[in-house]
Amino acid sequence: MLGCSVPYHTAESVAAVFDTHGIPATTHIVSYRLAFPDSSENRSRILRFLLGDYYPLLPEDELRSLFDPYAAAGSITIDTVQQHFVVTA
């Protein structure tokens, strides 16, 4: 929405750095659930936490609507995964 590149390192960019430097690393997929009561205020709280300084630069109504596909019965529930790297020293 801001028209700029991703302001953080992705798993792919971290893996590339490890490969470039010959650092052996294993990965683990960690599943988790983000769940909270659905309200405009709660959606905004989560977005402020996730986006930090970028939050005020973006259209709030459009951001909050990104939760719509995950809304049911008065709650937001998002099942997701993260890739974690393990480097043994």
Side-chain angles (χ1 to χ4, degrees):
M1 288 180 187
L2 287 173
C4 63
S5 62
V6 175
Y8 52 84
H9 296 288
T10 63
E12 295 81 11
S13 62
V14 172
V17 169
F18 288 155
D19 289 344
T20 298
H21 294 284
I23 299 169
T26 58
T27 59
H28 298 277
I29 300 299
V30 177
S31 300
Y32 66 96
R33 173 175 284 171
L34 173 63
F36 57 92
D38 190 11
S39 70
S40 181
E41 295 81 13
N42 284 343
R43 289 181 184 210
S44 293
R45 286 181 185 115
I46 295 294
L47 289 164
R48 273 193 297 276
F49 170 75
L50 293 173
L51 299 171
D53 292 339
Y54 294 96
Y55 180 76
L57 304 175
L58 295 160
E60 190 171 19
D61 289 339
E62 191 173 344
L63 285 176
R64 284 193 305 254
S65 72
L66 295 173
F67 286 113
D68 290 350
Y70 307 98
S75 295
I76 300 291
T77 304
I78 302 172
D79 291 313
T80 189
V81 298
Q82 291 288 322
Q83 185 175 1
H84 289 213
F85 290 88
V86 178
V87 177
T88 305

